[in-house]
Amino acid sequence: GAGVSQTPSNKVTEKGKYVELRCDPISGHTALYWYRQSLGQGPEFLIYFQGTGAADDSGLPNDRFFAVRPEGSVSTLKIQRTERGDSAVYLCASSQGLLRDNEQFFGPGTRLTVL
Amino acid sequence: LAKTTQPISMDSYEGQEVNITCSHNNIATNDYITWYQQFPSQGPRFIIQGYKTKVTNEVASLFIPADRKSSTLSLPRVSLSDTAVYYCLVNTDKLIFGTGTRLQVFP
């Protein structure tokens, strides 16, 4: 079956612009996660959803970042007034649930470059 | 949150066994230990997960001592395609990644 997909694969924007990054999880997976990865670093947790609700958004760096999952499937990460420091690869993952032994399946990521 | 510590890098040669040890002193009773592999320009990929003692699958083994304060990922007979970054994580309800171990396999 299809894995986690993310669009676009690359996004170049200018400082101050608004961007949306999309994640399509594996069908049937109820949990969805967003991470951010800078060069040479491990992925950094941002937020995760169980169904439609954000179960933990403690990793969002500030109020310019927001994520939604209105129907419990596709999720969109939204970044307002982008800054050069937002440049990173944004990874999405999904899992069957929130149990601690559930494997997370990652998408290929969206590489965001803020000029 | 349990923090993990693992070597920054390791080198090996094709056909050798590679063991990567990770320490996680603050692991909680309900936490699992999970290892992920990441190739450049790809998302991390699950390798193996365990709670205690030993777990083996088709690609790796995971050894966890009784105190669970450390774990060792064992890759038998590595090949060039095993060159990647390997992350040790303590699996709470979200994954907290460290900087990982960069494994380089030489011919």
Side-chain angles (χ1 to χ4, degrees), chain A residues 33 35 37 41-43 45 48 56 58 91 98 100-104 106-108 111, chain B residues 30-32 36 38 41-44 46 49 87 91-99:
Chain A
Y33 311 78
Y35 297 84
Q37 187 170 27
Q41 302 296 315
F45 168 79
Y48 75 82
D56 185 343
S58 62
L91 294 163
L98 285 181
R100 294 176 178 214
D101 59 347
N102 273 331
E103 174 184 349
Q104 292 190 20
F106 283 80
R111 181 174 299 278
Chain B
N30 295 334
D31 294 340
Y32 282 76
Y36 280 76
Q38 187 174 27
S41 301
Q42 294 185 24
F46 174 91
Q49 178 173 258
Y87 294 99
N91 198 7
T92 59
D93 52 1
K94 58 194 178 191
L95 298 181
I96 307 298
F97 289 83
T99 53

Side-chain angles (χ1 to χ4, degrees), chain A residues 20-41:
Chain A
E20 290 189 351
L21 311 179
R22 176 187 167 110
C23 172
D24 282 83
I26 293 173
S27 177
H29 279 191
T30 60
L32 185 145
Y33 311 78
W34 283 99
Y35 297 84
R36 176 170 71 173
Q37 187 170 27
S38 300
L39 191 63
Q41 302 296 315

Side-chain angles (χ1 to χ4, degrees), chain B residues 14-89:
Chain B
E14 280 192 296
Q16 289 189 335
E17 178 184 79
V18 171
N19 295 308
I20 306 175
T21 297
C22 174
S23 66
H24 27 79
N25 293 319
N26 297 326
I27 191 169
T29 304
N30 295 334
D31 294 340
Y32 282 76
I33 298 154
T34 309
W35 286 79
Y36 280 76
Q37 174 193 55
Q38 187 174 27
F39 297 110
S41 301
Q42 294 185 24
R45 184 173 70 101
F46 174 91
I47 302 175
I48 197 167
Q49 178 173 258
Y51 183 79
K52 61 181 179 180
T53 62
K54 177 184 176 183
V55 178
T56 297
N57 62 22
E58 62 276 10
V59 298
S61 294
L62 178 60
F63 299 91
I64 304 168
D67 66 5
R68 305 200 327 122
K69 293 183 182 298
S70 67
S71 60
T72 299
L73 174 72
S74 181
L75 304 173
R77 297 192 301 281
V78 294
S79 63
L80 295 176
S81 63
D82 292 317
T83 294
V85 178
Y86 292 82
Y87 294 99
C88 163
L89 301 100

